[in-house]
Amino acid sequence: MKIAIVGKPVKEEVIPFVRRLMEILVQQGIELTVADHFVESLAPFTPVPSQAEVFTRDTSLQDVNYMLSLGGDGTLLDAVTYIGALQIPIMGINMGRLGFLASVPYAQLEMALDALLKGHFTLEDRSLIHLDSDQEVFDGKNFGLNEFSILKRDTSSMIAVHTYIDGEYLNSYWADGLIVATPTGSTGYSLSCGGPVMMPQTNNFVISPVCPHNLNVRPLVVSDKSVISFEIEGRSTRYLVSLDSRSKPVDASIQLAVRREDFNARLVKLNQVNFLTTLRTKMHWGLDQRNG
């Protein structure tokens, strides 16, 4: 078995857990490959095992069985970009803050690894959103797990995002921006803009305006079989587009459209973890003293 590890710089207090993780995997005879930037961030605290390989974004991970994401939800979103169409299962170990996607606490690391190595888990496919554009924006990584966004830059005035569904005019959103979120992303940026929570296996997108300058637009749920396209208008000639945490400036002349990606992200779920439990415990959904 071969396991890849990605991570963001972690706090010093969790270094013993990272060290223990690698010790367990080596003891179990697992082949390790570690992302180059994570190796660099660990260097002041602990070296990676000498037998571990190091991989970059250009390295093929074709022979990897699982990927461990060490960090928060942002780290897991980044892990998806390494895997792409390979659909390697990802287990997120939370060493950050909320940990909605990276749902395994680092204090339960040994239990989680034992479950992974024994096969005591389920796999959950999550839909991705794909960006089509007439200019290269994200270096071929034109997909995201959470959302695609169009945003104004800095403190410039609001923008108008003329939006179409399968070529049919939907609306012109006068706002600071517009978000198209997957079901997974419905608990992220879209939620903070008033969008609904969707169950992970729902085959939909949610379109949510960011700070709209009118009172008669609300988030809209549409089928993920749709192609959603945009034209941008505003006083500025440059705007921001983003896929999850990756943002790039673009010119107003760019042609943009989003659709469901042809492949999924595959998440490892331990038996005691499910979406509704996480929604209640992490985000306090339905919190009411009458519920005990």
Side-chain angles (χ1 to χ4, degrees):
M1 183 184 294
K2 188 171 186 177
I3 292 179
I5 300 176
V6 297
K8 294 289 179 68
V10 293
K11 296 179 181 178
E12 190 170 356
E13 58 263 30
V14 303
I15 291 296
F17 291 90
V18 177
R19 187 182 297 118
R20 180 60 182 152
L21 177 149
M22 295 191 186
E23 288 175 353
I24 292 172
L25 294 177
V26 170
Q27 290 168 3
Q28 293 291 328
I30 306 299
E31 293 182 60
L32 291 183
T33 182
V34 187
D36 55 349
H37 62 83
F38 192 46
V39 173
E40 293 173 7
S41 70
L42 291 175
F45 307 103
T46 185
V48 299
S50 58
Q51 60 268 57
E53 299 175 4
V54 177
F55 69 93
T56 69
R57 290 198 177 276
D58 298 324
T59 304
S60 172
L61 299 179
Q62 187 73 45
D63 58 344
V64 169
N65 301 101
Y66 300 101
M67 177 173 280
L68 301 182
S69 168
L70 310 185
D73 290 347
T75 308
L76 193 146
L77 295 176
D78 190 46
V80 172
T81 66
Y82 282 93
I83 291 172
L86 294 175
Q87 296 190 138
I88 298 166
I90 306 170
M91 184 166 75
I93 298 174
N94 181 30
M95 296 183 176
R97 289 172 293 184
L98 182 64
F100 196 89
L101 293 172
S103 55
V104 178
Y106 65 82
Q108 297 178 13
L109 176 63
E110 296 198 27
M111 177 274 295
L113 288 180
D114 183 65
L116 180 69
L117 298 179
K118 290 180 177 178
H120 296 168
F121 60 85
T122 58
L123 293 177
E124 186 174 85
D125 282 353
R126 297 290 185 97
S127 61
L128 301 167
I129 191 166
H130 176 92
L131 171 66
D132 289 310
S133 61
D134 63 343
Q135 304 169 27
E136 185 57 65
V137 182
F138 294 105
D139 301 321
K141 305 289 186 180
N142 297 344
F143 55 88
L145 177 57
N146 266 6
E147 73 270 316
F148 168 76
S149 304
I150 301 171
L151 302 165
K152 71 175 189 176
R153 294 188 69 187
D154 306 322
T155 58
S156 61
S157 59
M158 77 180 76
I159 60 177
V161 184
H162 309 298
T163 307
Y164 303 81
I165 297 179
D166 295 327
E168 182 178 346
Y169 176 68
L170 169 65
N171 188 34
S172 293
Y173 293 91
W174 293 86
D176 285 356
L178 192 69
I179 304 165
V180 182
T182 66
T184 299
S186 71
T187 56
Y189 193 6
S190 176
L191 181 67
S192 69
C193 293
V197 173
M198 293 192 291
M199 295 292 287
Q201 303 308 317
T202 306
N203 297 318
N204 293 306
F205 292 131
V206 56
I207 303 173
S208 301
V210 180
C211 300
H213 195 248
N214 46 26
L215 299 175
N216 56 353
V217 292
R218 293 291 184 269
L220 178 69
V221 176
V222 301
S223 168
D224 66 6
K225 294 181 175 65
S226 304
V227 175
I228 307 169
S229 54
F230 315 93
E231 296 173 357
I232 314 171
E233 178 187 346
R235 293 177 183 173
S236 174
T237 59
R238 301 282 284 175
Y239 308 96
L240 286 177
V241 295
S242 69
L243 280 169
D244 295 343
S245 57
R246 295 167 288 143
S247 296
K248 293 290 181 67
V250 297
D251 187 87
S253 64
I254 192 171
Q255 296 181 20
L256 303 166
V258 294
R259 57 178 172 83
R260 179 168 176 164
E261 182 55 271
D262 296 330
F263 51 85
N264 297 319
R266 186 159 289 169
L267 305 184
V268 172
K269 291 296 179 184
L270 302 185
N271 293 333
Q272 72 273 24
V273 177
N274 64 66
F275 177 77
L276 294 178
T277 299
T278 304
L279 195 63
R280 290 193 300 269
T281 57
K282 299 281 187 175
M283 306 195 76
H284 308 298
W285 185 83
L287 183 65
D288 189 319
Q289 62 181 0
R290 293 171 296 182
N291 294 337

Short mmCIF file of all heavy atoms in Angstrom, two decimals, residues 59-123:
data_model
loop_
_atom_site.label_atom_id
_atom_site.label_comp_id
_atom_site.label_asym_id
_atom_site.label_seq_id
_atom_site.Cartn_x
_atom_site.Cartn_y
_atom_site.Cartn_z
N THR A 59 4.10 15.59 -10.20
CA THR A 59 4.36 14.17 -10.01
C THR A 59 3.08 13.35 -10.23
O THR A 59 2.01 13.73 -9.74
CB THR A 59 4.88 13.90 -8.59
OG1 THR A 59 6.04 14.69 -8.34
CG2 THR A 59 5.22 12.43 -8.40
N SER A 60 3.19 12.26 -10.94
CA SER A 60 2.04 11.37 -11.10
C SER A 60 1.82 10.59 -9.80
O SER A 60 2.76 10.03 -9.22
CB SER A 60 2.29 10.39 -12.25
OG SER A 60 1.28 9.40 -12.28
N LEU A 61 0.58 10.55 -9.35
CA LEU A 61 0.22 9.80 -8.14
C LEU A 61 -0.57 8.54 -8.50
O LEU A 61 -1.33 8.02 -7.69
CB LEU A 61 -0.60 10.70 -7.21
CG LEU A 61 0.11 11.96 -6.70
CD1 LEU A 61 -0.84 12.78 -5.81
CD2 LEU A 61 1.38 11.62 -5.94
N GLN A 62 -0.37 8.04 -9.69
CA GLN A 62 -1.12 6.91 -10.22
C GLN A 62 -1.05 5.68 -9.31
O GLN A 62 -2.02 4.92 -9.21
CB GLN A 62 -0.59 6.55 -11.62
CG GLN A 62 -1.40 5.50 -12.36
CD GLN A 62 -2.73 6.02 -12.87
OE1 GLN A 62 -2.79 7.10 -13.44
NE2 GLN A 62 -3.80 5.26 -12.66
N ASP A 63 0.09 5.50 -8.61
CA ASP A 63 0.27 4.30 -7.80
C ASP A 63 -0.10 4.51 -6.33
O ASP A 63 0.15 3.64 -5.50
CB ASP A 63 1.72 3.82 -7.89
CG ASP A 63 2.72 4.88 -7.45
OD1 ASP A 63 2.35 6.07 -7.37
OD2 ASP A 63 3.90 4.53 -7.19
N VAL A 64 -0.71 5.65 -6.01
CA VAL A 64 -1.08 5.95 -4.61
C VAL A 64 -2.46 5.38 -4.31
O VAL A 64 -3.39 5.51 -5.11
CB VAL A 64 -1.06 7.47 -4.37
CG1 VAL A 64 -1.69 7.82 -3.01
CG2 VAL A 64 0.37 7.99 -4.41
N ASN A 65 -2.61 4.74 -3.14
CA ASN A 65 -3.89 4.16 -2.74
C ASN A 65 -4.77 5.13 -1.97
O ASN A 65 -6.00 5.14 -2.14
CB ASN A 65 -3.66 2.92 -1.88
CG ASN A 65 -2.87 1.85 -2.60
OD1 ASN A 65 -1.66 1.70 -2.39
ND2 ASN A 65 -3.54 1.10 -3.48
N TYR A 66 -4.15 5.92 -1.08
CA TYR A 66 -4.91 6.87 -0.27
C TYR A 66 -4.07 8.15 -0.11
O TYR A 66 -2.84 8.11 -0.20
CB TYR A 66 -5.21 6.32 1.13
CG TYR A 66 -6.03 5.06 1.12
CD1 TYR A 66 -5.43 3.82 1.32
CD2 TYR A 66 -7.41 5.11 0.94
CE1 TYR A 66 -6.17 2.65 1.31
CE2 TYR A 66 -8.16 3.94 0.93
CZ TYR A 66 -7.55 2.72 1.12
OH TYR A 66 -8.28 1.57 1.10
N MET A 67 -4.79 9.25 0.17
CA MET A 67 -4.10 10.49 0.51
C MET A 67 -4.59 10.96 1.87
O MET A 67 -5.79 10.92 2.16
CB MET A 67 -4.37 11.58 -0.54
CG MET A 67 -3.74 12.93 -0.19
SD MET A 67 -3.88 14.16 -1.51
CE MET A 67 -2.53 13.64 -2.59
N LEU A 68 -3.65 11.37 2.72
CA LEU A 68 -3.98 11.96 4.01
C LEU A 68 -3.78 13.46 3.92
O LEU A 68 -2.72 13.94 3.50
CB LEU A 68 -3.08 11.38 5.11
CG LEU A 68 -3.13 9.87 5.34
CD1 LEU A 68 -2.21 9.48 6.50
CD2 LEU A 68 -4.56 9.41 5.62
N SER A 69 -4.80 14.20 4.31
CA SER A 69 -4.75 15.66 4.32
C SER A 69 -4.64 16.12 5.77
O SER A 69 -5.55 15.91 6.57
CB SER A 69 -6.02 16.23 3.68
OG SER A 69 -6.14 17.62 3.91
N LEU A 70 -3.49 16.72 6.11
CA LEU A 70 -3.23 17.15 7.49
C LEU A 70 -3.36 18.66 7.57
O LEU A 70 -2.53 19.40 7.04
CB LEU A 70 -1.82 16.73 7.93
CG LEU A 70 -1.43 15.27 7.71
CD1 LEU A 70 -0.06 15.00 8.31
CD2 LEU A 70 -2.47 14.33 8.29
N GLY A 71 -4.41 19.12 8.21
CA GLY A 71 -4.66 20.55 8.30
C GLY A 71 -6.13 20.81 8.51
O GLY A 71 -6.82 20.05 9.19
N GLY A 72 -6.63 21.86 7.89
CA GLY A 72 -8.05 22.18 7.99
C GLY A 72 -8.76 21.87 6.68
O GLY A 72 -8.26 21.13 5.83
N ASP A 73 -9.93 22.46 6.53
CA ASP A 73 -10.71 22.22 5.31
C ASP A 73 -10.00 22.77 4.08
O ASP A 73 -10.09 22.19 3.00
CB ASP A 73 -12.08 22.87 5.46
CG ASP A 73 -12.95 22.15 6.48
OD1 ASP A 73 -12.59 21.03 6.89
OD2 ASP A 73 -13.99 22.71 6.88
N GLY A 74 -9.28 23.89 4.22
CA GLY A 74 -8.55 24.44 3.08
C GLY A 74 -7.49 23.49 2.57
O GLY A 74 -7.25 23.41 1.36
N THR A 75 -6.86 22.76 3.47
CA THR A 75 -5.85 21.77 3.07
C THR A 75 -6.49 20.65 2.27
O THR A 75 -5.93 20.18 1.28
CB THR A 75 -5.15 21.20 4.31
OG1 THR A 75 -4.67 22.26 5.14
CG2 THR A 75 -3.97 20.32 3.92
N LEU A 76 -7.67 20.23 2.69
CA LEU A 76 -8.35 19.16 1.96
C LEU A 76 -8.78 19.64 0.57
O LEU A 76 -8.67 18.90 -0.41
CB LEU A 76 -9.55 18.66 2.76
CG LEU A 76 -10.16 17.34 2.26
CD1 LEU A 76 -10.68 16.51 3.43
CD2 LEU A 76 -11.29 17.58 1.27
N LEU A 77 -9.24 20.88 0.48
CA LEU A 77 -9.60 21.43 -0.83
C LEU A 77 -8.38 21.45 -1.74
O LEU A 77 -8.48 21.15 -2.94
CB LEU A 77 -10.15 22.86 -0.67
CG LEU A 77 -11.47 23.00 0.09
CD1 LEU A 77 -11.82 24.48 0.25
CD2 LEU A 77 -12.60 22.26 -0.63
N ASP A 78 -7.22 21.77 -1.18
CA ASP A 78 -5.99 21.77 -1.96
C ASP A 78 -5.60 20.35 -2.36
O ASP A 78 -5.11 20.11 -3.47
CB ASP A 78 -4.88 22.43 -1.15
CG ASP A 78 -3.63 22.68 -1.98
OD1 ASP A 78 -3.75 23.18 -3.11
OD2 ASP A 78 -2.52 22.39 -1.50
N ALA A 79 -5.83 19.39 -1.47
CA ALA A 79 -5.50 18.00 -1.76
C ALA A 79 -6.24 17.50 -2.99
O ALA A 79 -5.70 16.73 -3.79
CB ALA A 79 -5.83 17.12 -0.55
N VAL A 80 -7.47 17.95 -3.17
CA VAL A 80 -8.27 17.52 -4.33
C VAL A 80 -7.58 17.90 -5.64
O VAL A 80 -7.64 17.17 -6.63
CB VAL A 80 -9.68 18.14 -4.25
CG1 VAL A 80 -10.46 17.87 -5.53
CG2 VAL A 80 -10.44 17.58 -3.06
N THR A 81 -6.88 19.06 -5.65
CA THR A 81 -6.23 19.50 -6.89
C THR A 81 -5.03 18.64 -7.26
O THR A 81 -4.63 18.60 -8.42
CB THR A 81 -5.79 20.98 -6.78
OG1 THR A 81 -4.75 21.12 -5.80
CG2 THR A 81 -6.96 21.87 -6.39
N TYR A 82 -4.42 17.97 -6.30
CA TYR A 82 -3.33 17.05 -6.60
C TYR A 82 -3.85 15.77 -7.26
O TYR A 82 -3.13 15.13 -8.04
CB TYR A 82 -2.59 16.64 -5.32
CG TYR A 82 -1.63 17.66 -4.77
CD1 TYR A 82 -2.03 18.57 -3.82
CD2 TYR A 82 -0.30 17.70 -5.20
CE1 TYR A 82 -1.14 19.51 -3.30
CE2 TYR A 82 0.59 18.62 -4.69
CZ TYR A 82 0.17 19.52 -3.74
OH TYR A 82 1.05 20.45 -3.23
N ILE A 83 -5.07 15.39 -6.94
CA ILE A 83 -5.59 14.09 -7.34
C ILE A 83 -6.33 14.14 -8.67
O ILE A 83 -6.12 13.30 -9.55
CB ILE A 83 -6.51 13.55 -6.23
CG1 ILE A 83 -5.67 13.19 -5.00
CG2 ILE A 83 -7.28 12.33 -6.71
CD1 ILE A 83 -6.48 12.84 -3.79
N GLY A 84 -7.20 15.13 -8.81
CA GLY A 84 -7.95 15.28 -10.05
C GLY A 84 -8.74 14.03 -10.40
O GLY A 84 -9.41 13.41 -9.56
N ALA A 85 -8.63 13.61 -11.67
CA ALA A 85 -9.43 12.50 -12.17
C ALA A 85 -9.02 11.14 -11.61
O ALA A 85 -9.73 10.14 -11.83
CB ALA A 85 -9.36 12.47 -13.70
N LEU A 86 -7.90 11.04 -10.89
CA LEU A 86 -7.50 9.76 -10.30
C LEU A 86 -8.47 9.29 -9.23
O LEU A 86 -8.54 8.09 -8.93
CB LEU A 86 -6.09 9.88 -9.71
CG LEU A 86 -4.95 10.11 -10.69
CD1 LEU A 86 -3.63 10.33 -9.94
CD2 LEU A 86 -4.81 8.93 -11.67
N GLN A 87 -9.19 10.24 -8.61
CA GLN A 87 -10.19 9.93 -7.58
C GLN A 87 -9.61 9.08 -6.44
O GLN A 87 -10.26 8.17 -5.92
CB GLN A 87 -11.42 9.24 -8.19
CG GLN A 87 -12.17 10.12 -9.17
CD GLN A 87 -13.51 9.54 -9.60
OE1 GLN A 87 -14.48 10.25 -9.71
NE2 GLN A 87 -13.57 8.25 -9.86
N ILE A 88 -8.38 9.35 -6.05
CA ILE A 88 -7.77 8.67 -4.90
C ILE A 88 -8.54 9.08 -3.64
O ILE A 88 -8.78 10.27 -3.42
CB ILE A 88 -6.28 9.06 -4.77
CG1 ILE A 88 -5.50 8.62 -6.02
CG2 ILE A 88 -5.67 8.48 -3.51
CD1 ILE A 88 -4.13 9.23 -6.13
N PRO A 89 -8.93 8.13 -2.79
CA PRO A 89 -9.66 8.50 -1.57
C PRO A 89 -8.81 9.37 -0.64
O PRO A 89 -7.61 9.11 -0.44
CB PRO A 89 -9.96 7.14 -0.92
CG PRO A 89 -9.94 6.17 -2.06
CD PRO A 89 -8.87 6.67 -2.99
N ILE A 90 -9.43 10.39 -0.07
CA ILE A 90 -8.76 11.33 0.82
C ILE A 90 -9.35 11.21 2.22
O ILE A 90 -10.58 11.23 2.38
CB ILE A 90 -8.95 12.79 0.35
CG1 ILE A 90 -8.51 12.96 -1.11
CG2 ILE A 90 -8.18 13.75 1.25
CD1 ILE A 90 -8.90 14.32 -1.69
N MET A 91 -8.49 11.11 3.22
CA MET A 91 -8.93 11.20 4.61
C MET A 91 -8.39 12.49 5.20
O MET A 91 -7.18 12.73 5.20
CB MET A 91 -8.47 10.01 5.45
CG MET A 91 -9.03 10.07 6.88
SD MET A 91 -8.86 8.51 7.81
CE MET A 91 -7.12 8.53 8.18
N GLY A 92 -9.29 13.33 5.67
CA GLY A 92 -8.90 14.61 6.24
C GLY A 92 -8.72 14.53 7.74
O GLY A 92 -9.66 14.17 8.47
N ILE A 93 -7.52 14.84 8.22
CA ILE A 93 -7.24 14.86 9.66
C ILE A 93 -7.14 16.32 10.08
O ILE A 93 -6.28 17.06 9.59
CB ILE A 93 -5.95 14.09 9.99
CG1 ILE A 93 -6.13 12.62 9.58
CG2 ILE A 93 -5.61 14.19 11.47
CD1 ILE A 93 -4.88 11.78 9.73
N ASN A 94 -8.03 16.73 10.95
CA ASN A 94 -8.18 18.15 11.28
C ASN A 94 -7.11 18.62 12.27
O ASN A 94 -7.11 18.24 13.43
CB ASN A 94 -9.57 18.41 11.87
CG ASN A 94 -9.78 19.87 12.19
OD1 ASN A 94 -9.20 20.75 11.54
ND2 ASN A 94 -10.58 20.14 13.20
N MET A 95 -6.22 19.48 11.76
CA MET A 95 -5.25 20.14 12.62
C MET A 95 -5.44 21.65 12.52
O MET A 95 -4.56 22.43 12.87
CB MET A 95 -3.83 19.74 12.20
CG MET A 95 -3.58 18.25 12.41
SD MET A 95 -1.90 17.75 12.03
CE MET A 95 -1.95 16.02 12.50
N GLY A 96 -6.62 22.04 12.03
CA GLY A 96 -6.93 23.46 11.88
C GLY A 96 -8.00 23.88 12.88
O GLY A 96 -7.94 23.54 14.05
N ARG A 97 -9.04 24.56 12.34
CA ARG A 97 -10.06 25.11 13.24
C ARG A 97 -11.38 24.35 13.10
O ARG A 97 -11.61 23.39 13.83
CB ARG A 97 -10.24 26.60 12.93
CG ARG A 97 -9.04 27.44 13.38
CD ARG A 97 -9.13 28.88 12.91
NE ARG A 97 -9.03 29.00 11.46
CZ ARG A 97 -9.02 30.16 10.81
NH1 ARG A 97 -9.10 31.30 11.46
NH2 ARG A 97 -8.91 30.18 9.48
N LEU A 98 -12.24 24.72 12.15
CA LEU A 98 -13.57 24.13 12.10
C LEU A 98 -13.54 22.64 11.79
O LEU A 98 -14.13 21.84 12.49
CB LEU A 98 -14.42 24.87 11.05
CG LEU A 98 -15.87 24.40 10.92
CD1 LEU A 98 -16.63 24.65 12.21
CD2 LEU A 98 -16.55 25.12 9.75
N GLY A 99 -12.86 22.27 10.73
CA GLY A 99 -12.77 20.85 10.38
C GLY A 99 -14.08 20.24 9.96
O GLY A 99 -14.45 19.17 10.43
N PHE A 100 -14.81 20.92 9.07
CA PHE A 100 -16.08 20.36 8.60
C PHE A 100 -15.83 19.22 7.62
O PHE A 100 -16.45 18.17 7.71
CB PHE A 100 -16.91 21.46 7.94
CG PHE A 100 -18.36 21.09 7.77
CD1 PHE A 100 -19.27 21.36 8.78
CD2 PHE A 100 -18.81 20.46 6.63
CE1 PHE A 100 -20.61 21.01 8.64
CE2 PHE A 100 -20.14 20.11 6.47
CZ PHE A 100 -21.05 20.38 7.48
N LEU A 101 -14.91 19.42 6.68
CA LEU A 101 -14.55 18.36 5.74
C LEU A 101 -13.48 17.45 6.32
O LEU A 101 -13.56 16.23 6.21
CB LEU A 101 -14.05 18.98 4.43
CG LEU A 101 -15.07 19.75 3.59
CD1 LEU A 101 -14.39 20.47 2.44
CD2 LEU A 101 -16.13 18.81 3.07
N ALA A 102 -12.46 18.08 6.92
CA ALA A 102 -11.40 17.31 7.59
C ALA A 102 -11.92 16.96 8.98
O ALA A 102 -11.64 17.63 9.97
CB ALA A 102 -10.12 18.14 7.67
N SER A 103 -12.70 15.90 9.05
CA SER A 103 -13.55 15.66 10.23
C SER A 103 -12.90 14.80 11.31
O SER A 103 -13.49 14.61 12.38
CB SER A 103 -14.86 15.01 9.78
OG SER A 103 -14.61 13.84 9.04
N VAL A 104 -11.69 14.27 11.06
CA VAL A 104 -11.04 13.41 12.06
C VAL A 104 -10.14 14.27 12.94
O VAL A 104 -9.15 14.85 12.46
CB VAL A 104 -10.19 12.31 11.39
CG1 VAL A 104 -9.50 11.47 12.45
CG2 VAL A 104 -11.06 11.44 10.49
N PRO A 105 -10.44 14.42 14.24
CA PRO A 105 -9.56 15.19 15.13
C PRO A 105 -8.18 14.55 15.23
O PRO A 105 -8.06 13.33 15.26
CB PRO A 105 -10.28 15.15 16.48
CG PRO A 105 -11.67 14.69 16.19
CD PRO A 105 -11.59 13.85 14.96
N TYR A 106 -7.13 15.39 15.29
CA TYR A 106 -5.79 14.81 15.32
C TYR A 106 -5.55 13.99 16.58
O TYR A 106 -4.71 13.10 16.60
CB TYR A 106 -4.71 15.89 15.14
CG TYR A 106 -4.59 16.92 16.24
CD1 TYR A 106 -3.87 16.66 17.40
CD2 TYR A 106 -5.15 18.19 16.10
CE1 TYR A 106 -3.73 17.61 18.40
CE2 TYR A 106 -5.01 19.15 17.08
CZ TYR A 106 -4.30 18.86 18.24
OH TYR A 106 -4.17 19.81 19.22
N ALA A 107 -6.33 14.25 17.64
CA ALA A 107 -6.18 13.46 18.86
C ALA A 107 -6.65 12.02 18.65
O ALA A 107 -6.30 11.12 19.42
CB ALA A 107 -6.95 14.10 20.01
N GLN A 108 -7.44 11.77 17.61
CA GLN A 108 -7.92 10.42 17.29
C GLN A 108 -7.14 9.80 16.13
O GLN A 108 -7.63 8.90 15.44
CB GLN A 108 -9.42 10.46 16.95
CG GLN A 108 -10.29 10.92 18.10
CD GLN A 108 -11.77 10.99 17.71
OE1 GLN A 108 -12.18 10.48 16.68
NE2 GLN A 108 -12.56 11.62 18.56
N LEU A 109 -5.95 10.30 15.94
CA LEU A 109 -5.13 9.90 14.80
C LEU A 109 -4.91 8.39 14.74
O LEU A 109 -5.11 7.77 13.70
CB LEU A 109 -3.79 10.63 14.86
CG LEU A 109 -2.75 10.28 13.81
CD1 LEU A 109 -3.27 10.66 12.43
CD2 LEU A 109 -1.44 10.99 14.09
N GLU A 110 -4.49 7.79 15.84
CA GLU A 110 -4.16 6.36 15.81
C GLU A 110 -5.40 5.52 15.51
O GLU A 110 -5.33 4.53 14.76
CB GLU A 110 -3.51 5.94 17.13
CG GLU A 110 -2.16 6.62 17.37
CD GLU A 110 -1.31 5.92 18.41
OE1 GLU A 110 -1.47 4.70 18.57
OE2 GLU A 110 -0.46 6.59 19.02
N MET A 111 -6.53 5.90 16.07
CA MET A 111 -7.79 5.19 15.79
C MET A 111 -8.15 5.30 14.32
O MET A 111 -8.56 4.32 13.68
CB MET A 111 -8.91 5.78 16.66
CG MET A 111 -10.29 5.17 16.41
SD MET A 111 -11.21 5.97 15.04
CE MET A 111 -11.44 7.61 15.69
N ALA A 112 -7.96 6.50 13.76
CA ALA A 112 -8.31 6.73 12.36
C ALA A 112 -7.41 5.92 11.43
O ALA A 112 -7.88 5.31 10.46
CB ALA A 112 -8.21 8.21 12.04
N LEU A 113 -6.11 5.89 11.72
CA LEU A 113 -5.19 5.11 10.89
C LEU A 113 -5.50 3.62 10.97
O LEU A 113 -5.43 2.90 9.97
CB LEU A 113 -3.74 5.37 11.33
CG LEU A 113 -3.16 6.74 10.97
CD1 LEU A 113 -1.73 6.84 11.48
CD2 LEU A 113 -3.21 6.99 9.47
N ASP A 114 -5.83 3.15 12.17
CA ASP A 114 -6.17 1.74 12.33
C ASP A 114 -7.39 1.39 11.49
O ASP A 114 -7.42 0.35 10.81
CB ASP A 114 -6.44 1.45 13.81
CG ASP A 114 -6.74 -0.03 14.07
OD1 ASP A 114 -5.84 -0.86 13.86
OD2 ASP A 114 -7.89 -0.34 14.45
N ALA A 115 -8.40 2.27 11.50
CA ALA A 115 -9.61 2.03 10.70
C ALA A 115 -9.29 2.05 9.21
O ALA A 115 -9.79 1.22 8.44
CB ALA A 115 -10.66 3.09 11.04
N LEU A 116 -8.42 2.97 8.80
CA LEU A 116 -8.06 3.07 7.38
C LEU A 116 -7.34 1.81 6.92
O LEU A 116 -7.69 1.23 5.87
CB LEU A 116 -7.18 4.29 7.15
CG LEU A 116 -6.71 4.53 5.70
CD1 LEU A 116 -7.89 4.93 4.83
CD2 LEU A 116 -5.62 5.60 5.65
N LEU A 117 -6.36 1.38 7.69
CA LEU A 117 -5.56 0.23 7.28
C LEU A 117 -6.34 -1.08 7.34
O LEU A 117 -6.03 -2.03 6.62
CB LEU A 117 -4.31 0.13 8.16
CG LEU A 117 -3.35 1.34 8.06
CD1 LEU A 117 -2.16 1.15 9.00
CD2 LEU A 117 -2.87 1.54 6.63
N LYS A 118 -7.38 -1.13 8.19
CA LYS A 118 -8.21 -2.34 8.29
C LYS A 118 -9.42 -2.29 7.35
O LYS A 118 -10.18 -3.26 7.28
CB LYS A 118 -8.68 -2.54 9.74
CG LYS A 118 -7.57 -2.94 10.69
CD LYS A 118 -8.10 -3.12 12.11
CE LYS A 118 -6.99 -3.58 13.05
NZ LYS A 118 -7.49 -3.72 14.45
N GLY A 119 -9.60 -1.17 6.69
CA GLY A 119 -10.73 -1.05 5.78
C GLY A 119 -12.06 -0.77 6.46
O GLY A 119 -13.12 -0.99 5.87
N HIS A 120 -12.02 -0.25 7.68
CA HIS A 120 -13.25 0.02 8.43
C HIS A 120 -13.71 1.46 8.16
O HIS A 120 -13.66 2.33 9.03
CB HIS A 120 -13.03 -0.19 9.93
CG HIS A 120 -12.69 -1.60 10.29
ND1 HIS A 120 -12.22 -1.98 11.54
CD2 HIS A 120 -12.76 -2.75 9.56
CE1 HIS A 120 -12.01 -3.27 11.55
NE2 HIS A 120 -12.33 -3.77 10.37
N PHE A 121 -14.15 1.69 6.94
CA PHE A 121 -14.59 3.03 6.55
C PHE A 121 -15.50 2.91 5.34
O PHE A 121 -15.63 1.83 4.74
CB PHE A 121 -13.40 3.93 6.23
CG PHE A 121 -12.54 3.42 5.09
CD1 PHE A 121 -12.85 3.69 3.77
CD2 PHE A 121 -11.42 2.63 5.35
CE1 PHE A 121 -12.07 3.19 2.72
CE2 PHE A 121 -10.63 2.13 4.31
CZ PHE A 121 -10.97 2.41 3.00
N THR A 122 -16.12 4.01 4.99
CA THR A 122 -16.90 4.07 3.75
C THR A 122 -16.31 5.17 2.88
O THR A 122 -15.58 6.06 3.37
CB THR A 122 -18.38 4.38 4.02
OG1 THR A 122 -18.49 5.62 4.73
CG2 THR A 122 -19.02 3.27 4.84
N LEU A 123 -16.60 5.10 1.59
CA LEU A 123 -16.16 6.13 0.65
C LEU A 123 -17.37 6.94 0.21
O LEU A 123 -18.43 6.39 -0.09
CB LEU A 123 -15.48 5.51 -0.57
CG LEU A 123 -14.14 4.81 -0.30
CD1 LEU A 123 -13.61 4.18 -1.59
CD2 LEU A 123 -13.12 5.79 0.27
#
